[in-house]
Amino acid sequence: EIQIDVDGRCAVERDGICQPRARLCRFGAGTRCGCRSCECPQCSFGAVRLRGGTGLTVLGASGEALLFAAARDDHVHNVIAPALEQGQWVLCDRFTHSTRVYQGKHGSADLKLIRAMERVTIGELAPDLTIILDVPAEVGLARAAKRRGQEAPDRFEAEDADFHRRLREAYRQVAIDEPERCVLIDATADVEVTPQRVWSVVGSRFAELREGQ
């Protein structure tokens, strides 16, 4: 059982994560392992209800971290754990590093609190590999603006470039701190190149995926 986390440096740039995630899942769909693609922490009924029913802007960093932990707990127990038990490999859009970066390193939430919530919500189900897709803040924000068109930006999209530059540095530090599990990939290339880069890393780490094709 393999769990892979694909995490964007700039979470507002959804195409930066969704395109590689979708293509990576297609690459792996033909393997004997099977693939379960999901978005954390909002790919289960309970998680969607938790996130959709509360205005995040009034909670503060610690409140957000607690809400995301509750949603992630539901997601892990109802989506990720059952898929792993069935022998599938799980491809997840964002996981615990997002909370560490957004609410922890960038926000004011105590990292000890975040780590404690991780022990409760995910236990031993840490990803075997975390892919961090890296783009300059200006590139990510431009892509987000193009994607949403005339729609209003959400809470994170509305933040300025300096906010996203700090996020980028926090994610890059994650890759430095955990090199055995985290791989930083340049995601400034077009939509055909980045997924190939991701699959190359995944294939080099997990022989059973290559052999199962």
Side-chain angles (χ1 to χ4, degrees):
E1 298 84 358
I2 299 170
Q3 185 181 344
I4 302 171
D5 171 29
V6 181
D7 212 330
R9 187 282 314 157
C10 178
V12 304
E13 205 286 276
R14 301 309 308 143
D15 288 343
I17 299 178
C18 294
Q19 287 284 358
R21 176 165 60 100
R23 290 168 186 250
L24 181 59
C25 195
R26 288 200 295 272
F27 290 153
T31 70
R32 62 170 177 252
C33 305
C35 177
R36 177 65 167 93
S37 178
C38 54
E39 182 175 342
C40 182
Q42 56 188 46
C43 199
S44 64
F45 178 77
V48 171
R49 293 289 298 274
L50 277 167
R51 293 197 67 187
T54 306
L56 296 180
T57 56
V58 301
L59 295 178
S62 295
E64 286 180 350
L66 289 166
L67 179 65
F68 291 150
R72 183 166 289 117
D73 181 78
D74 185 80
H75 182 215
V76 166
H77 287 88
N78 290 291
V79 178
I80 294 178
L84 292 174
E85 289 171 1
Q86 294 171 12
Q88 294 181 305
W89 61 290
V90 175
L91 179 60
C92 186
D93 178 346
R94 301 192 305 272
F95 205 56
T96 54
H97 283 120
S98 291
T99 302
R100 293 183 199 174
V101 168
Y102 276 81
Q103 284 73 44
K105 292 184 178 182
H106 190 275
S108 59
D110 190 331
L111 287 175
K112 291 182 179 179
L113 171 64
I114 292 175
R115 294 284 189 176
M117 290 189 292
E118 287 178 12
R119 289 194 294 272
V120 173
T121 58
I122 71 172
E124 300 298 320
L125 293 182
D128 297 278
L129 171 66
T130 294
I131 300 290
I132 299 176
L133 302 177
D134 180 53
V135 295
E138 292 78 8
V139 173
L141 289 170
R143 289 178 178 177
K146 181 179 180 180
R147 171 190 48 77
R148 71 172 181 267
Q150 299 301 313
E151 295 181 6
D154 66 17
R155 178 259 176 104
F156 293 115
E157 289 178 342
E159 297 284 356
D160 61 21
D162 187 57
F163 172 91
H164 293 286
R165 292 189 193 101
R166 295 195 299 271
L167 287 180
R168 183 190 188 192
E169 292 308 311
Y171 269 117
R172 290 170 71 90
Q173 188 61 48
V174 167
I176 293 171
D177 293 341
E178 301 183 41
E180 71 287 348
R181 182 159 60 86
C182 299
V183 177
L184 191 73
I185 290 181
D186 180 357
T188 57
D190 62 37
V191 295
E192 299 297 329
V193 174
T194 300
Q196 292 289 348
R197 290 175 177 172
V198 172
W199 180 246
S200 178
V201 170
V202 172
S204 69
R205 289 289 187 98
F206 306 111
E208 55 266 49
L209 295 183
R210 298 195 307 272
E211 295 167 357
Q213 294 186 82

